[in-house]
Amino acid sequence: MEDQLISPADSRGSPAKEQQAAGVGILLQIMMLVLSFILGHVLRRHKFFYIPEASASLLIGLVVGGLANISNTETSIRGWFNFHEEFFFLFLLPPTIFQSGFILSPKPFFSNFGAIVTFSILGTFIASVLTGLLVYLGGITFLMYKLPLIECMMFGALISSTDPVTVLAIFQELGTDVNLYALVFGESVLNDAVAISLYRTMSLLNSHMSTGQNIFTLVVGFLETFVGSLSSGVGVGFISALLFKYAGLDIDNLQNLESCLFVLFPYFSYMLAEGLGLSGIVSILFTGIVMKHYTFSNLSEKSQQFVSEFFHLISSLAETFIFIYMGLDIVMEKHSWSHVGFIFFSIIFIVISRAVNVFSCGYLVNLARPAHRKIPMKHQKALWYSGLRGAMAFALALQSVHDLPEGHGQTIFTATTAIVVLTVLLIGGSTGTMLEALQVIGDSNEGHIGDGFNRSDGYVSPFQDEEESSSNRFKMRLKEFHRSAPSFSSLDKNYLTPFFTTQSGDEEEHETLMPSPRREVYLSRN
């Protein structure tokens, strides 16, 4: 199937010649993967954080793509280096998104769930709209290349997708605060889902809807897509939990069947959502969260070990290949460099929008939180700095080339390419320096990655009583609501866990914030 998706459509010649070209193309891709893993290991071992592993993979792709461009490489071979959105969305992205949901530890994620949802949904919406408006205003004031308003909104949606995999890897290496890690990781996971839903909604409006219906249709269309996709993913996750609870597959001679079924459910969730016209990314993300929390405990011990290692493996390969793949296509794809002003001002507008997003949402979250749970300003600054753009923004920008008129999509794609390269290489390489400057490394007053979540001096405990008085009546009402409202953890413990799993719900789980699958091995050295 991979041959059908990424082999060049315009290749000509005998079948033997085409097969040889395919072999050479795949061989070069495998060699780049091997080189990327080895180089990443060497950089990690020597604690050289100025070139993170993702940056190294991107650079390898840039170098090999550049050599293929200036050499006399056959067109049939070069075609194997082209970035294909179908291959990305159907084969590379699903395992990485599922693994993101699968490795989420419930305690830090749900303890900071309100903040994560605020940053990822409200914040992404703010950043998307503000970026689109600033780009549009920049166009009508002749600061940059002018695009129609709805196309500016499409650009704002796709460029608001963050991919802080480089930052998170360095967070783990340097042992930063566990709450900060949960915020950055959780926001990035949900942010992709929101950004792609916004982009698809804007694209639909651009293609079919009249101007007078834009705002209403945007809101309704986004809610339909996001809520429908979320419901689809959660529903598939719950169905899998019940299947594995009552099917009796956790016996020795059925472990292969058990593992195979578990591996197929995520793709079933993804394809179901796509077939219904929803977002497969949102669906598979929440399927991963639900399957880890409920379905996973219904597996036999050997099957648990196998599926963990399997998704670890394929997500590591896919994630590395995405950056190599992206680097190759950045060099080999046709770009429009005639509008440098569009790139320059877009970067400025993105920085401004990200700041408004993070600090306004941080203010709202702190307004609703008691004093001991407020997000420190240094954590908000780190969250702002962590807004790298990556594979999702690049893939959506490449898709915009087909969705928008000639010239417009090319300009957006070129700008996105420049932004991705700059953020991954420059921001990713300076993350260690940023963490040291903000003094969020080695803070003894708060928990760190791997320390667990039983500490009470951080801001992970959502319902801890406090005796502080407040003159703000609104804050007092919020505190009373938090004390009286039943928590999700109580609902989960008393009803959901006993219904969907073989556990009683009284079993205490001691979990730590799971690291990104491709880098967890390095934590043991620190």
Side-chain angles (χ1 to χ4, degrees):
M1 187 173 292
E2 179 176 329
D3 292 5
Q4 297 173 357
L5 283 171
I6 64 175
S7 60
D10 58 347
S11 60
R12 296 290 184 268
S14 64
K17 189 72 173 178
E18 293 180 9
Q19 186 174 356
Q20 182 184 13
V24 174
I26 295 175
L27 174 63
L28 291 174
Q29 291 171 352
I30 293 174
M31 290 173 63
M32 286 185 286
L33 279 171
V34 172
L35 178 61
S36 178
F37 279 115
I38 294 175
L39 181 59
H41 172 73
V42 172
L43 292 173
R44 285 281 174 267
R45 188 169 187 177
H46 291 84
K47 299 186 181 298
F48 189 79
F49 300 124
Y50 295 103
I51 304 181
E53 189 174 349
S55 301
S57 301
L58 182 66
L59 286 173
I60 290 172
L62 289 171
V63 171
V64 174
L67 292 176
N69 249 355
I70 63 177
S71 66
N72 294 323
T73 307
E74 294 184 23
T75 304
S76 57
I77 296 177
R78 292 181 58 185
W80 283 84
F81 295 157
N82 291 336
F83 192 99
H84 293 258
E85 307 97 280
E86 297 87 355
F87 181 59
F88 173 78
F89 281 108
L90 293 178
F91 292 96
L92 296 180
L93 193 59
T96 61
I97 297 295
F98 177 79
Q99 181 71 355
S100 297
F102 194 69
I103 65 174
L104 277 179
S105 183
K107 285 188 178 180
F109 181 76
F110 287 110
S111 294
N112 292 285
F113 186 71
I116 289 171
V117 169
T118 303
F119 283 114
S120 59
I121 297 181
L122 177 61
T124 302
F125 186 81
I126 291 173
S128 173
V129 172
L130 184 57
T131 301
L133 289 176
L134 289 174
V135 170
Y136 178 71
L137 292 175
I140 63 177
T141 55
F142 304 103
L143 286 176
M144 56 199 298
Y145 183 68
K146 184 179 178 181
L147 294 173
L149 178 60
I150 191 64
E151 294 182 11
C152 292
M153 291 298 178
M154 290 174 66
F155 175 65
L158 70 88
I159 207 64
S160 297
S161 173
T162 60
D163 187 11
V165 60
T166 300
V167 175
L168 292 173
I170 298 175
F171 277 12
Q172 295 161 6
E173 292 291 330
L174 299 179
T176 190
D177 178 79
V178 74
N179 298 285
L180 175 60
Y181 185 94
L183 287 177
V184 175
F185 184 59
E187 188 241 1
S188 68
V189 168
L190 294 179
N191 165 274
D192 280 348
V194 175
I196 193 172
S197 298
L198 280 174
Y199 176 83
R200 290 182 175 179
T201 303
M202 297 288 186
S203 179
L204 181 64
L205 290 174
N206 186 51
S207 302
H208 300 100
M209 301 300 176
S210 63
T211 306
Q213 297 175 317
N214 277 353
I215 297 178
F216 177 76
T217 308
L218 168 65
V219 175
V220 173
F222 171 75
L223 290 177
E224 285 181 350
T225 301
F226 190 81
V227 176
S229 304
L230 186 153
S231 302
S232 172
V234 171
V236 171
F238 282 148
I239 290 173
S240 69
L242 291 175
L243 172 66
F244 286 98
K245 178 179 180 180
Y246 293 110
L249 300 175
D250 55 342
I251 55 178
D252 290 340
N253 60 339
L254 291 179
Q255 286 176 355
N256 288 337
L257 174 61
E258 184 182 37
S259 300
C260 289
L261 287 175
F262 190 94
V263 169
L264 290 175
F265 263 100
Y267 263 108
F268 174 78
S269 170
Y270 185 87
M271 296 306 173
L272 175 64
E274 291 292 324
L276 295 174
L278 303 172
S279 171
I281 302 302
V282 180
S283 181
I284 198 172
L285 167 65
F286 284 94
T287 298
I289 295 173
V290 173
M291 290 187 72
K292 176 59 184 291
H293 193 51
Y294 299 107
T295 312
F296 187 74
S297 61
N298 294 333
L299 300 179
S300 62
E301 185 176 346
K302 290 183 178 179
S303 295
Q304 288 181 353
Q305 182 179 359
F306 171 79
V307 297
S308 297
E309 293 175 351
F310 176 80
F311 285 114
H312 175 165
L313 171 65
I314 62 171
S315 64
S316 297
L317 288 171
E319 188 179 277
T320 303
F321 190 65
I322 284 173
F323 281 95
I324 294 174
Y325 206 20
M326 194 162 51
L328 287 168
D329 202 67
I330 285 174
V331 177
M332 302 182 70
E333 192 74 26
K334 181 181 178 181
H335 293 280
S336 175
W337 298 106
S338 57
H339 305 294
V340 179
F342 187 90
I343 300 173
F344 176 76
F345 284 105
S346 292
I347 295 174
I348 295 177
F349 295 154
I350 288 167
V351 171
I352 295 173
S353 300
R354 178 70 180 173
V356 173
N357 162 12
V358 171
F359 296 119
S360 62
C361 290
Y363 174 79
L364 292 176
V365 170
N366 285 341
L367 192 65
R369 285 188 168 193
H372 70 281
R373 297 196 62 236
K374 293 185 183 298
I375 303 175
M377 180 55 66
K378 61 183 180 180
H379 286 192
Q380 296 182 42
K381 291 178 180 178
L383 185 61
W384 167 71
Y385 195 85
S386 303
L388 285 76
R389 270 60 178 180
M392 180 62 75
F394 181 81
L396 291 176
L398 190 58
Q399 186 174 322
S400 72
V401 176
H402 308 295
D403 295 340
L404 299 178
E406 185 176 357
H408 293 189
Q410 208 69 44
T411 301
I412 288 176
F413 176 64
T414 302
T416 305
T417 296
I419 292 167
V420 167
V421 173
L422 287 174
T423 56
V424 170
L425 296 182
L426 296 183
I427 296 181
S430 59
T431 299
T433 304
M434 177 271 294
L435 292 176
E436 293 176 355
L438 293 177
Q439 298 179 342
V440 294
I441 301 174
D443 188 352
S444 60
N445 294 325
E446 295 176 340
H448 294 80
I449 299 173
D451 289 348
F453 297 89
N454 296 322
R455 302 176 65 93
S456 60
D457 49 1
Y459 54 92
V460 291
S461 178
F463 305 107
Q464 179 178 350
D465 292 336
E466 75 287 333
E467 301 299 331
E468 301 174 1
S469 62
S470 174
S471 59
N472 191 317
R473 186 173 299 176
F474 176 68
K475 290 184 178 181
M476 291 297 292
R477 288 179 178 176
L478 283 174
K479 292 174 184 177
E480 292 175 4
F481 172 78
H482 282 310
R483 287 192 181 101
S484 61
S487 65
F488 173 80
S489 59
S490 299
L491 175 67
D492 175 52
K493 178 180 178 180
N494 296 326
Y495 301 100
L496 297 180
T497 296
F499 183 76
F500 288 106
T501 73
T502 55
Q503 299 176 2
S504 64
D506 296 325
E507 301 174 14
E508 183 75 17
E509 294 182 4
H510 300 280
E511 297 179 0
T512 59
L513 186 60
M514 294 289 289
S516 179
R518 68 192 281 196
R519 292 161 179 108
E520 61 186 1
V521 65
Y522 297 105
L523 291 176
S524 61
R525 298 196 181 105
N526 295 329

